[in-house]
Amino acid sequence: MIGYSDCFRQNVLVCLIQDLKNAYVYWDFKPERIQTIRTFINNVKSGMKVYLRLCSQQSLNNKSIAKEEIELSQIEPGNYYFRNLDSDLIYHFEFGGYDHNGNYILFNRTPSIQLKPIEDSVGEYAVNQIVSFSLNSNESESDFLKIASSWS
């Protein structure tokens, strides 16, 4: 990223819910995280392609279904507009990849979000919300990425 100092980099995914149908998402990685992912791909899953997936959750069985995914050709900060979302669904985002056998390996998963209006301090309803999720090592990080971190 041109002119963007590494000291400002963070492991984060930010979702700006613009209305009940559209969300703008951007993500950022520290150089160490980028290197960890590259090391994992090079040493364990050669040829893996990395994706950001928007998934919906079925409330009855809590099963996750990928609704849309974008390939991250470069493991770098980026952004994307998710459009035509269903405000009745509960969503989350996943970073992960497909190996050469088509198996999906999860790196990180955000907590759930819903595209519902929220009441502001004066009793009016607003849709525009900013939801930020840390992508640092925590319970949402997969065992694969924790293992890969030990190689860096």
Side-chain angles (χ1 to χ4, degrees), residues 1 4-12 27-32 34 75-77:
M1 199 174 252
Y4 192 58
S5 173
D6 285 345
C7 69
F8 293 109
R9 305 283 293 269
Q10 52 187 329
N11 295 321
V12 67
W27 55 92
D28 190 17
F29 300 110
K30 289 183 178 181
E32 298 85 7
I34 292 169
I75 305 169
E76 296 289 336

Side-chain angles (χ1 to χ4, degrees), residues 8-9 11-12 52 64 85-86 90 93 96 111-112 128 137 140 148:
F8 293 109
R9 305 283 293 269
N11 295 321
V12 67
L52 170 66
S64 177
L85 304 177
D86 184 342
I90 298 171
F93 296 95
S112 300
N128 288 349
S137 297
S140 70

Side-chain angles (χ1 to χ4, degrees), residues 4-150:
Y4 192 58
S5 173
D6 285 345
C7 69
F8 293 109
R9 305 283 293 269
Q10 52 187 329
N11 295 321
V12 67
L13 181 138
V14 176
C15 177
L16 171 58
I17 300 169
Q18 295 184 315
D19 55 39
L20 295 178
K21 296 284 185 189
N22 300 292
Y24 171 76
V25 176
Y26 76 87
W27 55 92
D28 190 17
F29 300 110
K30 289 183 178 181
E32 298 85 7
R33 176 56 56 93
I34 292 169
Q35 187 55 46
T36 297
I37 295 170
R38 287 182 179 149
T39 300
F40 177 74
I41 291 170
N42 291 335
N43 293 337
V44 178
K45 294 291 182 181
S46 181
M48 173 182 269
K49 295 183 179 184
V50 177
Y51 288 83
L52 170 66
R53 300 191 332 172
L54 173 69
C55 300
S56 68
Q57 295 173 222
Q58 294 179 337
S59 58
L60 296 177
N61 59 11
N62 205 26
K63 185 176 180 180
S64 177
I65 300 171
K67 292 292 188 182
E68 188 173 350
E69 57 186 24
I70 57 168
E71 182 179 350
L72 306 182
S73 57
Q74 298 290 322
I75 305 169
E76 296 289 336
N79 60 75
Y80 189 78
Y81 274 96
F82 289 96
R83 301 183 190 280
N84 300 314
L85 304 177
D86 184 342
S87 62
D88 292 327
L89 295 178
I90 298 171
Y91 292 101
H92 67 268
F93 296 95
E94 295 178 350
F95 279 106
Y98 290 98
D99 65 15
H100 65 280
N101 293 323
N103 299 313
Y104 185 75
I105 298 172
L106 178 67
F107 293 161
N108 284 92
R109 177 181 171 176
T110 67
S112 300
I113 61 168
Q114 195 163 15
L115 307 175
K116 294 289 184 188
I118 57 170
E119 188 173 1
D120 65 15
S121 60
V122 293
E124 295 182 8
Y125 287 89
V127 174
N128 288 349
Q129 303 171 48
I130 297 177
V131 184
S132 180
F133 304 104
S134 172
L135 298 177
N136 289 317
S137 297
N138 59 32
E139 64 279 353
S140 70
E141 188 172 276
S142 75
D143 290 335
F144 293 103
L145 204 54
K146 289 177 186 173
I147 292 167
S149 295
S150 67

